[in-house]
Amino acid sequence: MQLIHSQDYIERVRHICEIGGGVLDQGDTPVGPKSFDVALAAVGALLDCADAIIAGKAKRAFAAVRPPGHHAEPDRPMGFCLFSNIAIAARYLQKKHGVGKVAIVDFDVHHGNGTQAAFEADPSVLFISLHQHPRTLYPGSGHDYETGTGAGSGTTLNLPMEPGSADDAYLRVLHARVLPAIDVFKPQMLLISAGFDGHRDDPLAQINLSEEAFGQMTDLLVQSANVHTNGRILSTLEGGYNLLALGRSVVRHLIALGR
């Protein structure tokens, strides 16, 4: 976890859990006595998936974990997230397995501010986030003018979607913006922050995606991975708060990953 988070931050989360729990931020990231261990297991699941893919035991893998991770910044927890699961996995692939360029596509309905914070100055990681427009939804970041900083300028791509956007709007953006950006970047590994809270039945946002759309978006990302990463994809669960919609959407995602 120190690939992304400071030891002081990790120990602070551990300590709060060890003394019985509490609330780590302004109110939406509560923890209990076992939360630190569960968060460690979530990170470990992604790293196991990464090892399996690199070893050739699997071409694509999905980590069905909670807590999610894409809101956790290097020095603070946010939005139900303790540690930045996907960012840790990306850096692990680079540091342990020698993967050079990594692309991360985040289609959770909320902006992946933690992932962006981890990599916005890093030209070796392309971060693409499709999310409901930040003027209308937590966490209020992810404007299209946020494109990275310093050496990483141009390797952050935020694609805010208006409330009410449905399948056709997302698929247009995939074709027009996401896939071309991946083509230009030419990653060696593709990671997906797979949040399903953009489903039309989800209670936390106002995006109107069907479960079929999650399968179609995944199909397009698989096709892109087949061109650039020898088909290798590591996906992890982020949001999704209507359990029926979440289950149906994950099934569509897995079917597409398995093709």
Side-chain angles (χ1 to χ4, degrees):
M1 292 192 299
Q2 288 173 286
L3 293 169
I4 297 296
H5 302 286
S6 70
Q7 188 62 35
D8 285 347
Y9 170 74
I10 295 166
E11 291 305 322
R12 178 161 62 91
V13 176
R14 186 203 306 268
H15 174 69
I16 293 171
C17 295
E18 285 179 345
I19 63 174
V23 179
L24 296 179
D25 57 2
Q26 287 77 33
D28 58 4
T29 312
V31 293
K34 298 295 185 181
S35 295
F36 184 83
D37 293 338
V38 173
L40 282 186
V43 172
L46 269 75
L47 303 189
D48 284 346
C49 287
D51 289 340
I53 291 170
I54 296 298
K57 296 178 181 178
K59 182 167 285 190
R60 293 184 278 276
F62 176 70
V65 300
R66 289 285 169 83
H70 74 151
H71 291 310
E73 297 190 352
D75 59 353
R76 64 171 177 166
M78 285 181 64
F80 315 146
C81 302
L82 305 188
F83 302 116
S84 189
N85 304 330
I86 198 90
I88 295 167
R91 192 63 88 207
Y92 178 82
L93 283 162
Q94 292 181 319
K95 296 294 186 181
K96 179 172 182 179
H97 293 297
V99 175
K101 297 167 74 175
V102 176
I104 302 172
V105 176
D106 184 335
F107 55 68
D108 189 279
V109 80
H110 304 93
H111 176 237
N113 59 289
T115 313
Q116 178 172 309
F119 296 124
E120 61 186 348
D122 185 346
S124 72
V125 178
L126 173 66
F127 175 60
I128 304 174
S129 181
L130 297 88
H131 48 270
Q132 186 171 318
H133 202 289
R135 70 170 181 273
T136 69
L137 194 66
Y138 181 93
S141 57
H143 294 270
D144 55 7
Y145 55 76
E146 298 172 37
T147 60
T149 62
S153 181
T155 55
T156 295
L157 177 60
N158 285 302
L159 301 167
M161 308 297 292
E162 293 297 328
S165 295
D167 297 8
D168 56 346
Y170 267 72
L171 293 171
R172 280 198 303 271
V173 168
L174 259 291
H175 281 290
R177 302 292 305 280
V178 175
L179 300 180
I182 295 172
D183 287 341
V184 170
F185 187 72
K186 296 180 173 59
Q188 294 169 265
M189 189 76 176
L190 177 61
L191 278 59
I192 302 175
S193 271
F196 300 96
D197 40 8
H199 193 281
R200 60 194 171 206
D201 294 335
D202 198 276
L204 293 193
Q206 295 82 44
I207 296 295
N208 293 325
L209 293 174
S210 67
E211 53 262 30
E212 290 81 7
F214 290 112
Q216 292 169 323
M217 290 192 291
T218 306
D219 273 328
L220 293 172
L221 295 174
V222 167
Q223 292 171 31
S224 182
N226 286 338
V227 172
H228 298 293
T229 72
N230 194 31
R232 299 183 303 178
I233 296 176
L234 169 55
S235 176
T236 187
L237 181 63
E238 297 284 1
Y241 305 100
N242 177 305
L243 293 183
L244 291 176
L246 174 61
R248 295 195 303 266
S249 299
V250 169
V251 167
R252 298 283 183 166
H253 181 60
L254 292 175
I255 290 171
L257 286 177
R259 292 195 177 105

